[in-house]
Amino acid sequence: MVATLFIDGTWRQASDGGAHDVHSPHDQRVVATVSQATNTDVLDAVAAARASFDSGVFTSWTFKERSALVAKIADLLERDADLVARKESDDTGKRFIEAQYDIADVIATFRHFANLGAKERERSVDVGLAHVTSRIVHEPLGVASLIGPWNYPLLQIAWKVAPALVAGCSFIVKPSELTPQSAVALMKIIEEAGTPKGVANLILGPGSVVGTPLINDPRVDLVSFTGGLTTGQTIMTAAAKTIKKLALELGGKNPHIIFADADLDAAIDNAVTAAFLHSGQVCSAGTRLLVERSIHDRVVNEIVRRAGQIRLGGPDDVMAETGPLISAAHLRNVTEYVEKGIAEGATLLVGGKRSEALEHENGWYFLPTVLDNCVTTMNCVQEESFGPVMTVEVFDTEAQAIALGNDTVFGLSGGVWSSDSEKAARVAGALRHGTIWVNDFGPYRPQAEWGGYKQSGIGRELGEHGLGEYLEIKHIWTNNSPSRSGWFSDPAQGESQ
Ligand code: TXE
C-alpha cells in the first residue's frame, strides 16, 4: 500500500486504497506507484486547508516569518537536489542534467519569494485630512488549489507554492498524474521545514476526477493553474459559480521573428534551441518561425540541417540533447498535428514522424520537424503542438512581421532578431505577448513577471506580481478625531450641513 497523499499534516493512502503506476516516457518501465485520491480524499484536503486558514495558525505569522520558512525550504531542496532531479527525470523522461537545471530554478524561485516576502508590504495613503490615517495592507487570500502540468512539473508547482506560502495561504497541490514524484518530494520538505499542519496538502490523480472538486468547491478561494487551454476554459467556467480568483497559464504559439539584418549565426542557433528544447514541450517554445523573405532559404536550410542532427535519448544518455514526448497519447497528437499540417499545404522538410531508432522503440520519441510554406490561416500555425515542430512563414516588411506575430489567440512570448536596435524595440513594443526577447530566446528570471496576454492566461507568476496573486489588498481608514457625518438631517441636533 502506498501512502503518498498529504492531508492535514498526515501521509495517507487513498480512502479506497487506490494507486496508479507512473511509467517512464523513455522506455515505459514503471518508475513509481503512487496513491490515487478519491473524491473523499480531495474533500478532506480542502477541509483541512480551509480549517487551517480560518484558524489563523499560519496567517498569524508575519511575512518575515513565512519568508524564513520559504528560505528553509530552499535550503532543504538544495540538500536533496539530485534526489528530486532523479524523480523528475524518471517521470518526464528528460535528461538527468536538464532535471538538475530545473531543480536549480526551483530553488531560485523559493529564494526569490523568500526575499520578496521579507520586504515591507504596508503603504500609507495621503488622504488630505490631518486627522485620518489611511493604510493599505496585504493579507493572505485564502485557500488555493494549485494545479500543475507535466513538462516542468516541480518548477511550475514551485511558482505557485512559494508565493502561496509567503502570502500565508493554505493550499492543495495537484501535480499532473503523469509526473507526481517531485511534488511528493517537495511536500516532504515542506513538512520537514515546519509548515503548520493543514496548510500544505497534496492530492494525486487524474484532473478529470480529483481536479473537479478542487475547482468547484466553494471553500476554495483561488485556483492557480498551468496547463492546456481547454482545461483552462473548464476551470474558468467552474470558477464563475463562486467567483473564485484565477491565475491561469495556458501555453502559447510563440512567434520568433528573424530580420535579414540580424546576426544570423546566433539567430539560427537560437531558433533551433527555441523550437526543439525539451522536444518542444515548453509553453514558451519558439515554434512559429517568421523569417524575412530574402534570407528564408539560408535560414531554413541551416535550421533543417541542424534539426536533423539533434540527438534524442533518455535520462542517462550522456550523448542525448533532448528526450521523449511525455506519453503515447501526446505522441499521437503531435503526429496528427503534423499530418494535418501537410494536408493543409505545409511542406515537410525534416522529421515528421516517430523515431525509428532501435533504442527508442519503447519510448515516445518524435523527430525534430520543420514545416515550411506555412500561412497564418493553417491550424498548424494557430494551434500549439507542444512537440518538436517548427512552422515557417515569410514576411517582407516590419509591419507584416508585427501583424503575423500578433495573429494568434495566444500571447505568451515572442522573439525578435535584428541588428537595428530601434526596429527591434519597435517590434518588441508592438507584439502583444507577455515576454519578448530581443536578440535572444528563452531565458527568464524569477525576479521578472511571467504570463500571457489574450488566451495565454490570466495574471502573472514570478516577479512581484506573482506574490500579489495570493494576496488580498485591504484599505484601513482610521479617523483619529471622530465626529458626526452630518449627511442626513437630525431634528434633535438641528439642520444637516
Ligand atoms: O494538459 P491538461 P494536457 C498544453 C499543450 C498540451 C495540451 C494538453 O498544448 O498538448 O495543453 O495537455 C489537470 N480540472 N499544455 O492534456 O489536461 C491535469 O491533471 C482540474 C500547456 O496534459 O491541461 C494536470 O494536472 N484539473 C502547458 C493539469 O490539469 C484538471 C503545459 C494540466 O493538464 C482537469 C501542459 C480538470 N477538469 C500542457 N483536467 C503550459 N501552459 O505550459 C486536467 N486537469
Side-chain angles (χ1 to χ4, degrees):
M1 280 294 176
V2 280
T4 51
L5 308 179
F6 190 61
I7 301 172
D8 204 15
T10 310
W11 288 97
R12 284 202 208 169
Q13 301 169 13
S15 58
D16 64 355
H20 78 104
D21 292 338
V22 180
H23 296 267
S24 163
H26 165 59
D27 55 10
Q28 298 181 56
R29 96 200 128 88
V30 174
V31 290
T33 303
V34 296
S35 314
Q36 181 157 315
T38 60
N39 198 53
T40 310
D41 298 324
V42 186
L43 295 180
D44 282 356
V46 173
R50 187 76 253 168
S52 73
F53 187 82
D54 293 342
S55 74
V57 66
F58 196 44
T59 56
S60 59
W61 291 26
T62 63
F63 275 101
K64 284 205 170 102
E65 287 167 335
R66 292 193 296 259
S67 296
L69 174 77
V70 169
K72 186 164 179 198
I73 292 169
D75 292 342
L76 296 174
L77 274 165
E78 220 151 56
R79 180 196 68 191
D80 293 351
D82 278 358
L83 210 122
V84 183
R86 174 54 63 188
K87 290 179 188 301
E88 193 88 321
S89 160
D90 278 351
D91 285 3
T92 58
K94 70 173 69 171
R95 295 174 307 144
F96 179 59
I97 190 170
E98 269 186 59
Q100 286 179 308
Y101 296 146
D102 293 352
I103 303 310
D105 282 359
V106 168
I107 295 164
T109 301
F110 277 91
R111 295 230 182 276
H112 161 64
F113 283 108
N115 292 337
L116 197 60
K119 279 178 23 185
E120 187 51 59
R121 306 214 69 76
E122 193 170 315
R123 178 176 120 233
S124 28
V125 177
D126 181 0
V127 296
L129 297 169
H131 60 286
V132 169
T133 317
S134 162
R135 288 187 306 130
I136 304 297
V137 296
H138 294 95
E139 297 181 345
L141 192 139
V143 171
S145 292
L146 311 178
I147 304 175
W150 43 260
N151 55 337
Y152 289 91
L154 196 61
L155 188 60
Q156 300 297 335
I157 294 273
W159 289 12
K160 304 174 192 315
V161 165
L165 283 170
V166 168
C169 289
S170 292
F171 54 84
I172 309 102
V173 172
K174 196 210 87 63
S176 166
E177 56 276 28
L178 301 173
T179 54
Q181 288 200 78
S182 55
V184 175
L186 174 65
M187 205 51 76
K188 288 191 172 147
I189 283 176
I190 288 176
E191 180 189 20
E192 183 184 344
T195 310
K197 186 166 97 66
V199 167
N201 301 275
L202 176 67
I203 283 296
L204 304 175
S208 53
V209 182
V210 304
T212 306
L214 288 178
I215 60 178
N216 282 322
D217 197 298
R219 294 169 293 180
V220 172
D221 302 296
L222 161 80
V223 180
S224 177
F225 167 78
T226 302
L229 180 57
T230 314
T231 310
Q233 287 162 338
T234 306
I235 289 175
M236 222 171 151
T237 307
K241 286 187 207 120
T242 49
I243 313 290
K244 293 189 199 324
K245 305 279 192 293
L246 286 177
L248 304 175
E249 206 267 61
L250 308 177
K253 187 71 191 182
N254 311 296
H256 197 183
I257 301 172
I258 305 183
F259 283 97
D261 60 6
D263 172 341
L264 288 189
D265 182 54
I268 289 168
D269 187 60
N270 275 276
V272 171
T273 309
F276 303 124
L277 174 83
H278 195 16
S279 293
Q281 301 170 114
V282 181
C283 52
S284 54
T287 49
R288 188 179 173 203
L289 188 73
L290 302 174
V291 59
E292 193 161 348
R293 192 180 303 274
S294 60
I295 53 163
H296 167 274
D297 291 0
R298 182 171 161 200
V299 169
V300 173
N301 290 344
E302 185 58 8
I303 289 176
V304 167
R305 185 184 72 79
R306 295 281 309 277
Q309 291 174 347
I310 292 175
R311 296 189 299 263
L312 307 181
D316 295 310
D317 181 343
V318 289
M319 297 304 287
E321 297 173 306
T322 190
L325 297 179
I326 190 69
S327 64
H330 193 43
L331 179 76
R332 268 196 305 280
N333 289 343
V334 175
T335 308
E336 277 169 24
Y337 168 94
V338 171
E339 285 167 359
K340 274 198 239 159
I342 295 168
E344 283 178 303
T347 311
L348 176 67
L349 297 183
V350 65
K353 58 180 182 186
R354 182 178 184 173
S355 166
E356 285 159 2
L358 205 58
E359 65 271 27
H360 300 152
E361 67 179 347
N362 293 320
W364 316 124
Y365 287 92
F366 197 86
L367 297 174
T369 298
V370 177
L371 293 176
D372 197 9
N373 297 319
C374 295
V375 290
T376 181
T377 48
M378 291 177 176
N379 279 329
C380 62
V381 171
Q382 293 299 332
E383 281 173 18
E384 186 180 45
S385 75
F386 227 61
V389 186
M390 176 192 281
T391 60
V392 183
E393 295 158 83
V394 288
F395 66 85
D396 293 298
T397 63
E398 180 183 327
Q400 225 181 351
I402 294 167
L404 286 173
N406 285 333
D407 188 0
T408 162
V409 297
F410 292 108
L412 189 61
S413 70
V416 50
W417 288 82
S418 170
S419 55
D420 176 342
S421 55
E422 285 179 14
K423 178 164 73 179
R426 277 195 304 274
V427 175
L431 288 174
R432 303 219 2 105
H433 297 264
T435 296
I436 302 294
W437 291 285
V438 176
N439 294 331
D440 212 332
F441 203 101
Y444 81 98
R445 289 290 179 276
Q447 292 77 14
E449 273 75 3
W450 179 267
Y453 284 37
K454 302 197 272 182
Q455 293 185 31
S456 283
I458 295 178
R460 290 292 179 273
E461 298 195 285
L462 302 179
E464 298 225 0
H465 204 90
L467 176 58
E469 299 282 356
Y470 296 87
L471 294 168
E472 285 285 17
I473 299 173
K474 183 181 278 177
H475 176 201
I476 302 177
W477 170 294
T478 306
N479 189 332
N480 300 307
S481 176
S483 62
R484 294 173 67 96
S485 81
W487 185 269
F488 293 105
S489 59
D490 180 353
Q493 295 286 325
E495 278 309 300
S496 66
Q497 305 296 314

